[in-house]
Amino acid sequence: MTNQTSSTHGPSSEAPLIVEMRGIVKKFPGVLANDHVNFELKRGEIHGLLGENGAGKSTLMNVLAGLYRQEAGTILVNGEPKVFSSPRDAINAGIGMVHQHFMLVPSQTVTENILLGLDDPRFFLRLPDYDTKIAELGERFGLKVDPRAKVWQLSVGEQQRVEILKMLYRGVNVLIMDEPTAVLAPQEIEGLFVTLRAMIAQGKSVIFISHKLQEVSVIADRVSVLRRGVATASGIASKGVSRQELARLMVGRDVIFSLDKKPSQPGEVVLDVRDIYAENDKGLPALRGISLNVRAGEIVGVAGVAGNGQSELSQVISGMRECKQGHVTLAGDTVSNRTTLFGIQHGMAYVPEDRTHVGSAPNLSITDNVIMKKYRTAPILKRGLLDMKAATSLANELKQAYDIIVPNVSTPVRLLSGGNLQRVILAREISGLPAFMVAVQPTRGLDVGAIEGVHRLLLAQREAGAAVLLVSEELEELLSLSDRVYVIYEGRIMGEVKVGGGEPDESLIDTIGQMMTGTPLEQIQKEGVAAHD
Amino acid sequence: MDFTIILQAGIASGTVLLFATIGELFSERAGVLNLGVEGMMLIGAMSAFSTTIATGNPWLGVLVAMFFAGLISQIHAFIVITLQADQVVSGLSLTFLGAGISLVLGEGLSKAGTVSLLPSFSIPLLTLIPIIGKIFFTNQSVLVYVGYLLVPLAWYYINHTRPGLHLRAVGEYPSAADALGINVFRMRYFYVFIGGMLAGLAGATISLAVSPGWFSELTTGGQGWIAIGLVIFAQWDPIRAAFGAYAFGALRRLILDIQGPLVLFGFNNPFYYNPYLGFFLQMLPYLFTVIVLVIGSREAMRKRIGAPAALGNPYIRGERGK
């Protein structure tokens, strides 16, 4: 992501502790999310908190931010024990958290969002006064954002800056950032790091939650690692520890950083998207002339910062959104603006972004969910009725084949973990032997083991000769799985790059990053040539 | 036909819609849809009239109307905010409850005779403005003038004050408001109460000013439903709501008055000779309401016209994200 070394002006080892968490225990029904965890934060440091999804990082920090109440353990701020019963208490003690899901009111301006819940202004808003105040604060920490802009007009990166400003405006000294880079393009990540360093230079402290090793070793002064609710490392200096060691602390075993991927042998064009236009839910243009194609036996990635038309693109392809102009063909048949059934009957498989509401029917059983595309034909359909025996045995077969871990297939899918639910959806989609599959964020929120499983299934599809369109915000995932990657920005394709096997080189990542922030490929290449001359 | 007189009466009649619409607008801006406006207006009209008969003081009637309509709105608030039940179902029940209570308690009120009404007066100087002065500022009820004041105040309150900012946040993104220490539940109760009080005021405006008396459920005649339609039509903006309310008030008067004369613009008045045409005209505001409600209930359309994002959804604490 970046070549910079970790900050050199880290806190001295005798810097005072600003936060101490001792023996924190937090339980959720059926899960011990934090098991006697100790955590220490020094004044003026960036402290990386590493762990897989579900390791308890966010839980621990939600306790510190006053969102959850711990079952046992104490929190000391500047040496004094504190009890937080709401985020407001934590903020009053100088601790604020920027969540992964931003808590911003889209229809209000930046300033209005920042002033929300404060006692000043008392009654009349007099926004212009506060606009300048907030602009000045932003200036101080390198957080450029127009205070008068409405939040819905802002990019995700800008919204994140508003969230940080919200906390700084409230005078917090400890800022907790929950997976802040997940939604950012590489260049924006650089900007965030600059801001975080500016903050510690001014005496603030930062807790940086992440599951990405590389980032943590770049930005953090010290690192703590959680695994399954237990701290496996507490405040070790990030300079003295290798990536492999950190990975072992996170996962508990050695992680292989590459996938077994055979060279691609692309066949005929299966999916052909020609110059399509579509609107988003608000009736604003979301796709403005997208063309792309996917061949049999290849995985094609769509990279981009969230909200640049990826969702709409996948919906138009799967037939769930009206295509205003242009068309989508699947093996020669036009599928855009047809029913979804038409697409399904012509070999379309769809793994949607929203697993729980679009991808599955939460209250129905695994059996019901896996037969949703098959109930119209034998063996599930028998003399015009559903053959539940056949359905159950199919579900059991899929449960075995796809490693779905549940006691039995009559379990409603809402009770499944994210990884298991995704396997149910993939089982349904793949078992229909699709010619083409569009998968949107198929690994979001899954733990490392589950991600590996999903990746293997996608690669197996590719080897079986299916065409796969993979929409993801995880660049690493796209680069390790795809044969080609399109980059989408504000509803347009900025360019297409080929991805070779092995470790992707820095210049490719840089090119993709530039495209993700709106520079078309031709322009990058032109500038590149100019630079060489 | 003198159109300025019709419009003058239309403004008075529009004031009823105005109060009810602004009230519902506050409630919806906080995220609570209250379909019980009609029922709360009936409660207001009945209790205002009844109190005034008993005490001879119409001002007391207005206060009692607002209090009781506000009180009954809290049933809806409890059901949808605390018990998190469906807002449509609860609101509909409130309409029936309000109608039922007011019909029972209002039994006999229609024969009770006349009461002292709220004062009407003209505003000096402003009446001198041609046409406008006659329509808006001549011999109007005091409540009409209250309505003129309410619109800019409501607009300013929502857009330019701290409580207004909190109100908008609670209706758009309650979990964000909650995370910053705003009490979502208390705010919603409060604005449902405001909505109830204004619906009560609308009822009192009918029975003590615009068409004095108690005529059971015909007193309101479905104006509560028109108000709900107007909120959507106004895209949750008080200024637009005022335009809508006065336009509909004027239309109501026009429809009534157009059936009177024998000759209209030198022709035999078709609305006089054919009563069915009159019925058709009378139906139009309700047809409009039905169309607006159908359009406004489509999810995609609601996003497009800027409905409060959390409208209709109970707020459950601890649900992250949306």
Side-chain angles (χ1 to χ4, degrees):
Chain A
M1 211 141 290
T2 155
N3 293 322
Q4 263 174 277
T5 49
S6 76
S7 68
T8 45
H9 46 60
S12 55
S13 53
E14 64 269 19
L17 290 179
I18 186 159
V19 171
E20 251 180 292
M21 300 177 83
R22 287 193 199 141
I24 300 293
V25 176
K26 176 71 198 169
K27 290 183 196 125
F28 290 114
V31 203
L32 186 55
N34 287 150
D35 184 6
H36 296 91
V37 176
N38 296 326
F39 179 84
E40 289 179 350
L41 179 70
K42 287 180 187 166
R43 184 183 300 278
E45 74 167 341
I46 298 179
H47 195 123
L49 184 56
L50 263 176
E52 289 189 84
N53 286 306
K57 314 179 290 283
S58 298
T59 307
L60 182 68
M61 287 303 124
N62 279 329
V63 168
L64 182 58
L67 215 61
Y68 299 155
R69 191 76 170 270
Q70 71 269 31
E71 266 89 44
T74 50
I75 298 172
L76 289 94
V77 180
N78 290 320
E80 280 173 49
K82 296 269 180 187
V83 178
F84 301 144
S85 54
S86 76
R88 205 174 207 181
D89 291 349
I91 288 171
N92 288 341
I95 299 169
M97 182 159 173
V98 173
H99 294 271
Q100 229 174 324
H101 304 281
F102 299 146
M103 300 271 206
L104 296 171
V105 183
S107 59
Q108 297 183 353
T109 70
V110 170
T111 303
E112 286 180 318
N113 265 285
I114 291 173
L115 295 181
L116 204 57
L118 293 177
D119 293 335
D120 171 47
R122 224 21 278 164
F123 189 78
F124 298 107
L125 280 181
R126 297 191 316 274
L127 285 179
D129 299 357
Y130 293 91
D131 286 341
T132 41
K133 228 170 164 178
I134 283 158
E136 278 165 20
L137 185 70
E139 200 98 342
R140 228 177 92 199
F141 292 98
L143 293 157
K144 223 187 98 210
V145 60
D146 176 11
R148 282 173 298 273
K150 295 250 157 84
V151 163
W152 64 265
Q153 299 169 316
L154 302 180
S155 72
V156 181
E158 288 172 312
Q159 292 186 22
Q160 185 178 59
R161 281 175 235 156
V162 179
E163 283 282 17
I164 298 174
L165 275 173
K166 202 154 96 180
M167 289 306 149
L168 291 175
Y169 189 82
R170 283 161 171 74
V172 303
N173 292 313
V174 176
L175 186 71
I176 307 167
M177 304 281 301
D178 192 358
E179 303 268 2
T181 57
V183 292
L184 301 181
Q187 281 82 357
E188 289 177 312
I189 294 176
E190 265 310 306
L192 172 70
F193 284 4
V194 170
T195 297
L196 296 184
R197 291 196 184 104
M199 286 176 57
I200 55 164
Q202 298 185 38
K204 312 248 177 214
S205 316
V206 175
I207 301 172
F208 187 96
I209 308 177
S210 181
H211 65 269
K212 293 180 186 161
L213 291 166
Q214 198 178 357
E215 276 172 16
V216 170
S217 51
V218 168
I219 187 72
D221 301 307
R222 294 195 305 152
V223 185
S224 293
V225 185
L226 284 183
R227 184 170 81 231
R228 291 191 196 152
V230 181
T232 50
S234 277
I236 48 175
S238 63
K239 265 171 269 177
V241 58
S242 75
R243 251 181 94 182
Q244 291 294 335
E245 272 173 80
L246 285 176
R248 208 168 19 242
L249 288 166
M250 265 172 76
V251 189
R253 61 184 157 86
D254 284 309
V255 184
I256 305 122
F257 280 101
S258 65
L259 278 159
D260 185 24
K261 187 170 129 188
K262 296 190 178 70
S264 73
Q265 284 158 334
E268 295 285 299
V269 170
V270 177
L271 179 87
D272 194 12
V273 175
R274 283 272 170 85
D275 197 30
I276 58 168
Y277 287 78
E279 292 176 352
N280 65 13
D281 289 343
K282 285 196 168 150
L284 304 170
L287 301 180
R288 315 158 198 241
I290 294 236
S291 297
L292 53 82
N293 63 64
V294 187
R295 293 170 179 274
E298 69 172 352
I299 295 180
V300 173
V302 175
V305 176
N308 274 291
Q310 295 96 317
S311 311
E312 288 81 3
L313 174 64
S314 66
Q315 286 162 355
V316 168
I317 290 173
S318 62
M320 290 183 63
R321 183 174 288 276
E322 190 190 349
C323 181
K324 292 278 173 191
Q325 205 181 310
H327 55 266
V328 179
T329 55
L330 184 59
D333 296 303
T334 302
V335 290
S336 48
N337 292 339
R338 298 275 186 115
T339 59
T340 46
L341 180 61
F342 183 86
I344 290 168
Q345 285 167 342
H346 286 75
M348 169 94 63
Y350 179 39
V351 180
E353 194 171 3
D354 185 349
R355 260 166 241 156
T356 44
H357 294 104
V358 184
S360 63
N363 288 329
L364 298 188
S365 66
I366 293 173
T367 309
D368 290 339
N369 271 285
V370 294
I371 64 166
M372 276 178 183
K373 287 177 116 179
K374 295 196 175 70
Y375 68 89
R376 285 188 183 82
T377 50
I380 308 297
L381 189 77
K382 210 165 168 188
R383 285 179 238 107
L385 295 172
L386 289 183
D387 182 352
M388 283 321 283
K389 241 186 229 154
T392 310
S393 76
L394 171 80
N396 276 314
E397 270 170 45
L398 294 176
K399 173 176 172 259
Q400 286 291 321
Y402 290 85
D403 208 16
I404 300 161
I405 305 158
V406 278
N408 70 66
V409 292
S410 58
T411 313
V413 294
R414 76 183 135 87
L415 301 175
L416 302 188
S417 70
N420 273 321
L421 178 59
Q422 191 67 307
R423 279 193 283 270
V424 170
I425 294 169
L426 282 164
R428 177 184 68 217
E429 297 299 324
I430 293 174
S431 63
L433 301 175
F436 167 74
M437 176 153 92
V438 51
V440 188
Q441 307 277 14
T443 59
R444 180 188 270 176
L446 304 187
D447 64 42
V448 171
I451 290 174
E452 233 178 275
V454 171
H455 284 174
R456 266 205 220 100
L457 285 171
L458 291 177
L459 284 175
Q461 278 299 292
R462 170 177 175 266
E463 252 135 66
V468 179
L469 186 69
L470 173 65
V471 179
S472 175
E473 280 152 30
E474 298 274 340
L475 209 45
E476 273 171 64
E477 170 172 283
L478 285 172
L479 292 174
S480 61
L481 290 176
S482 314
D483 300 301
R484 290 183 288 141
V485 172
Y486 290 95
V487 183
I488 190 169
Y489 175 76
E490 290 194 340
R492 294 191 183 88
I493 296 288
M494 288 291 117
E496 175 196 347
V497 289
K498 278 207 157 33
V499 182
E503 277 282 304
D505 61 300
E506 285 290 331
S507 75
L508 181 67
I509 293 177
D510 189 58
T511 307
I512 293 177
Q514 285 190 43
M515 288 196 276
M516 279 165 80
T517 46
T519 320
L521 183 62
E522 298 111 54
Q523 199 180 324
I524 299 169
Q525 283 166 340
K526 240 185 262 164
E527 279 163 14
V529 171
H532 278 291
D533 286 344
Chain B
M1 278 169 77
D2 183 351
F3 276 96
T4 50
I5 291 178
I6 292 177
L7 288 175
Q8 192 186 1
I11 293 297
S13 147
T15 302
V16 174
L17 285 171
L18 180 77
F19 288 139
T21 306
I22 300 277
E24 178 68 8
L25 191 147
F26 270 112
S27 173
E28 292 195 13
R29 267 301 181 85
V32 181
L33 176 72
N34 188 350
L35 294 183
V37 182
E38 180 79 3
M40 299 188 295
M41 281 173 73
L42 280 168
I43 293 270
M46 181 278 296
S47 51
F49 192 68
S50 154
T51 307
T52 310
I53 283 181
T55 65
N57 184 345
W59 296 104
L60 198 61
V62 169
L63 284 183
V64 169
M66 290 175 76
F67 176 73
F68 275 111
L71 200 64
I72 200 161
S73 76
Q74 296 301 289
I75 298 175
H76 178 65
F78 178 71
I79 291 172
V80 302
I81 300 168
T82 304
L83 303 182
Q84 294 156 1
D86 187 276
Q87 298 186 355
V88 172
V89 175
S90 168
L92 284 175
S93 334
L94 188 67
T95 285
F96 294 122
L97 182 69
I101 291 175
S102 53
L103 291 190
V104 170
L105 296 182
E107 181 68 36
L109 274 187
S110 45
K111 298 182 209 82
T114 53
V115 295
S116 52
L117 300 176
L118 289 165
S120 293
F121 53 88
S122 304
I123 307 269
L125 295 178
L126 290 179
T127 51
L128 300 177
I129 307 169
I131 304 175
I132 305 270
K134 177 98 197 259
I135 296 172
F136 288 94
F137 301 111
T138 304
N139 201 27
Q140 293 283 24
S141 165
V142 58
L143 290 179
V144 173
Y145 300 116
V146 171
Y148 296 161
L149 292 178
L150 179 66
V151 175
L153 282 180
W155 176 83
Y156 190 85
Y157 177 86
I158 291 173
N159 292 302
H160 293 284
T161 71
R162 184 175 76 117
L165 173 67
H166 292 185
L167 163 64
R168 281 181 282 140
V170 165
E172 288 285 339
Y173 200 161
S175 47
D178 191 26
L180 295 171
I182 296 168
N183 190 328
V184 175
F185 301 103
R186 207 165 62 196
M187 295 269 290
R188 288 193 164 175
Y189 268 99
F190 177 71
Y191 287 107
V192 171
F193 189 70
I194 296 283
M197 290 211 309
L198 285 172
L201 180 60
T205 310
I206 301 176
S207 64
L208 297 180
V210 176
S211 39
W214 172 251
F215 313 99
S216 62
E217 75 271 18
L218 293 175
T219 314
T220 52
Q223 291 188 71
W225 297 106
I226 297 178
I228 292 166
L230 279 176
V231 174
I232 299 171
F233 172 78
Q235 303 190 326
W236 295 269
D237 175 60
I239 310 277
R240 282 162 158 270
F243 279 113
Y246 291 132
F248 266 77
L251 194 66
R252 268 175 72 87
R253 288 306 314 182
L254 186 71
I255 290 166
L256 286 179
D257 292 344
I258 207 168
Q259 298 170 52
L262 293 170
V263 177
L264 197 64
F265 301 122
F267 295 97
N268 285 340
N269 183 355
F271 302 107
Y272 178 81
Y273 290 103
N274 186 350
Y276 295 107
L277 276 179
F279 294 151
F280 181 80
L281 285 184
Q282 283 173 22
M283 178 199 70
L284 286 179
Y286 303 100
L287 184 66
F288 157 85
T289 303
V290 169
I291 291 170
V292 167
L293 285 177
V294 167
I295 293 172
S297 61
R298 279 185 54 211
E299 188 75 21
M301 184 57 77
R302 274 167 50 162
K303 273 187 195 166
R304 214 175 270 209
I305 62 179
L311 179 60
N313 302 332
Y315 178 59
I316 302 160
R317 218 178 178 169
E319 262 193 338
R320 298 264 293 305
K322 295 165 193 177

